[in-house]
Coordinates of all heavy atoms in Angstrom, one line a residue:
E14 N 0.8 -1.1 0.0 CA 0.1 0.0 0.0 C 0.9 1.3 0.0 O 1.8 1.3 0.8 CB -0.9 -0.1 1.2 CG -2.0 -1.2 1.0 CD -3.0 -1.0 2.3 OE1 -3.0 0.0 3.2 OE2 -3.8 -1.9 2.4
G15 N 0.6 2.2 -1.0 CA 1.3 3.4 -1.0 C 2.8 3.1 -1.4 O 3.1 2.4 -2.3
S16 N 3.7 3.8 -0.5 CA 5.0 3.7 -0.8 C 5.6 2.6 0.2 O 5.3 2.6 1.4 CB 5.8 5.0 -0.5 OG 5.1 6.1 -1.3
G17 N 6.5 1.8 -0.4 CA 7.1 0.9 0.6 C 8.0 -0.1 -0.2 O 8.6 0.2 -1.2
W18 N 8.2 -1.4 0.4 CA 9.0 -2.4 -0.1 C 8.4 -3.8 0.0 O 7.6 -4.0 0.8 CB 10.3 -2.3 0.8 CG 11.0 -1.1 0.8 CD1 10.7 0.1 1.6 CD2 12.2 -0.8 0.3 NE1 11.6 1.1 1.4 CE2 12.6 0.8 0.7 CE3 13.2 -1.4 -0.5 CZ2 13.8 1.2 0.2 CZ3 14.3 -0.8 -0.9 CH2 14.6 0.6 -0.6
A19 N 9.0 -4.7 -0.9 CA 8.8 -6.1 -0.6 C 10.3 -6.6 -0.2 O 11.3 -6.1 -0.7 CB 8.3 -6.8 -1.9
A20 N 10.3 -7.5 0.7 CA 11.5 -8.0 1.2 C 11.3 -9.6 1.5 O 10.3 -10.0 1.8 CB 11.9 -7.3 2.6
L21 N 12.5 -10.2 1.3 CA 12.7 -11.6 1.7 C 13.5 -11.6 2.9 O 14.5 -11.0 3.0 CB 13.4 -12.4 0.6 CG 13.6 -13.9 0.9 CD1 12.2 -14.7 1.1 CD2 14.5 -14.6 -0.2
A22 N 13.0 -12.2 4.0 CA 13.6 -12.1 5.3 C 13.7 -13.5 6.0 O 12.8 -14.4 5.5 CB 13.0 -11.1 6.2
I23 N 14.6 -13.7 6.8 CA 14.7 -15.0 7.5 C 15.1 -14.7 9.0 O 15.9 -13.8 9.2 CB 15.6 -15.9 6.9 CG1 15.4 -17.4 7.4 CG2 17.1 -15.5 6.9 CD1 16.2 -18.4 6.5
H24 N 14.8 -15.6 9.9 CA 15.4 -15.6 11.3 C 15.8 -16.9 11.7 O 15.1 -17.9 11.5 CB 14.0 -15.1 12.3 CG 14.7 -14.8 13.6 ND1 15.0 -15.6 14.6 CD2 14.9 -13.5 14.2 CE1 15.5 -14.9 15.6 NE2 15.5 -13.7 15.5
P25 N 17.0 -17.0 12.4 CA 17.6 -18.3 12.7 C 16.7 -19.2 13.7 O 16.8 -20.3 13.6 CB 18.9 -18.0 13.4 CG 18.8 -16.5 13.8 CD 17.9 -15.9 12.8
C26 N 15.9 -18.5 14.4 CA 15.1 -19.3 15.4 C 13.8 -20.0 14.7 O 13.4 -20.9 15.1 CB 14.5 -18.4 16.5 SG 13.1 -17.3 16.1
V27 N 13.5 -19.5 13.5 CA 12.4 -20.1 12.7 C 13.1 -20.9 11.6 O 12.6 -22.0 11.3 CB 11.5 -19.0 12.2 CG1 10.5 -19.7 11.4 CG2 10.9 -18.2 13.3
G28 N 14.1 -20.5 10.9 CA 14.8 -21.1 10.0 C 14.0 -21.3 8.6 O 14.2 -22.1 8.0
R29 N 13.1 -20.4 8.4 CA 12.4 -20.3 7.1 C 12.3 -19.0 6.5 O 12.1 -18.0 7.3 CB 10.8 -20.9 7.4 CG 10.1 -20.2 8.5 CD 8.8 -20.8 8.8 NE 7.9 -20.8 7.6 CZ 6.7 -21.5 7.7 NH1 6.3 -22.0 8.7 NH2 6.0 -21.4 6.5
P30 N 12.4 -18.8 5.3 CA 12.3 -17.6 4.5 C 10.8 -17.1 4.5 O 9.9 -17.8 4.3 CB 12.8 -17.7 3.2 CG 12.3 -19.2 2.9 CD 12.4 -20.0 4.2
L31 N 10.6 -15.8 4.8 CA 9.3 -15.0 4.8 C 9.3 -13.9 3.9 O 10.3 -13.2 4.0 CB 8.8 -14.8 6.3 CG 8.6 -16.0 7.2 CD1 8.3 -15.6 8.6 CD2 7.5 -17.0 6.7
I32 N 8.2 -13.6 3.3 CA 8.1 -12.4 2.6 C 7.5 -11.4 3.5 O 6.4 -11.5 4.1 CB 7.3 -12.6 1.2 CG1 8.0 -13.6 0.3 CG2 7.0 -11.4 0.6 CD1 7.1 -14.0 -0.8
M33 N 8.0 -10.1 3.5 CA 7.6 -8.9 4.1 C 7.0 -7.8 3.2 O 7.7 -7.6 2.2 CB 8.7 -8.3 5.0 CG 8.9 -9.1 6.4 SD 10.0 -8.0 7.4 CE 11.5 -7.9 6.6
Q34 N 5.9 -7.2 3.5 CA 5.5 -6.0 2.9 C 5.8 -4.9 3.9 O 5.3 -4.9 5.1 CB 4.0 -6.0 2.6 CG 3.5 -6.8 1.4 CD 2.1 -6.5 1.1 OE1 1.3 -6.7 2.1 NE2 1.7 -6.4 -0.1
I35 N 6.7 -4.0 3.5 CA 7.2 -2.9 4.4 C 6.6 -1.7 3.9 O 6.8 -1.2 2.8 CB 8.6 -2.8 4.4 CG1 9.4 -4.2 4.7 CG2 9.1 -1.7 5.5 CD1 10.9 -4.1 4.7
E36 N 5.7 -1.1 4.7 CA 5.1 0.1 4.3 C 6.1 1.4 4.8 O 6.6 1.3 5.8 CB 3.7 0.4 5.0 CG 2.6 -0.5 4.4 CD 1.2 -0.4 5.1 OE1 1.2 0.7 6.0 OE2 0.5 -1.2 5.0
K37 N 6.2 2.4 3.8 CA 7.2 3.3 4.1 C 8.6 2.7 4.3 O 8.9 1.9 3.4 CB 6.8 4.2 5.4 CG 5.6 4.9 5.1 CD 5.2 5.8 6.3 CE 3.8 6.5 6.1 NZ 3.6 7.4 7.3
H38 N 9.3 2.9 5.4 CA 10.5 2.1 5.5 C 10.6 1.3 6.8 O 11.5 0.6 7.1 CB 11.7 3.1 5.7 CG 12.0 4.0 4.6 ND1 12.0 3.5 3.2 CD2 11.9 5.4 4.4 CE1 12.1 4.6 2.5 NE2 12.1 5.7 3.1
N39 N 9.5 1.4 7.6 CA 9.6 0.7 8.8 C 8.3 0.1 9.4 O 8.1 0.0 10.7 CB 10.3 1.7 10.0 CG 9.6 3.1 9.8 OD1 8.5 3.3 9.3 ND2 10.1 4.1 10.6
V40 N 7.2 0.1 8.7 CA 6.0 -0.5 9.1 C 5.7 -1.8 8.6 O 6.0 -2.2 7.4 CB 4.9 0.5 8.7 CG1 3.4 0.1 9.2 CG2 5.2 1.9 9.1
N41 N 5.2 -2.7 9.5 CA 4.9 -4.1 9.2 C 6.2 -5.0 9.0 O 6.1 -6.0 8.4 CB 4.2 -4.2 7.8 CG 2.7 -3.6 7.9 OD1 2.2 -3.3 9.0 ND2 2.1 -3.3 6.9
V42 N 7.3 -4.6 9.6 CA 8.5 -5.4 9.5 C 8.4 -6.5 10.6 O 7.7 -6.4 11.6 CB 9.7 -4.7 9.8 CG1 9.8 -3.4 8.7 CG2 9.8 -3.9 11.2
F43 N 9.2 -7.5 10.5 CA 9.4 -8.5 11.4 C 10.6 -8.2 12.3 O 11.7 -8.3 11.6 CB 9.6 -9.9 10.7 CG 8.5 -10.4 9.8 CD1 8.8 -11.1 8.6 CD2 7.1 -10.0 10.0 CE1 7.8 -11.5 7.8 CE2 6.2 -10.4 9.1 CZ 6.4 -11.1 8.1
P44 N 10.5 -7.8 13.4 CA 11.7 -7.3 14.2 C 12.7 -8.4 14.3 O 12.4 -9.6 14.6 CB 11.0 -6.9 15.6 CG 9.6 -6.6 15.2 CD 9.3 -7.5 14.2
T45 N 14.0 -8.1 14.3 CA 15.1 -8.9 14.3 C 15.4 -10.0 13.1 O 16.3 -10.7 13.1 CB 15.3 -9.6 15.7 OG1 14.4 -10.7 15.7 CG2 15.0 -8.6 16.8

């Protein structure tokens, strides 16, 4: 929505890649 990013991210405690939609630069992110 609006301005933002698509991102591929991963966390070692989960060990699986997930897609993020980031609104602006810092909304809807998966912390760490």
Side-chain angles (χ1 to χ4, degrees):
E14 293 185 4
S16 300
W18 302 74
L21 178 64
I23 194 170
H24 193 283
C26 76
V27 179
R29 57 187 296 180
L31 297 173
I32 295 171
M33 285 193 293
Q34 282 184 319
I35 305 173
E36 294 177 11
K37 298 181 180 179
H38 300 306
N39 50 6
V40 182
N41 297 346
V42 299
F43 305 145
T45 77

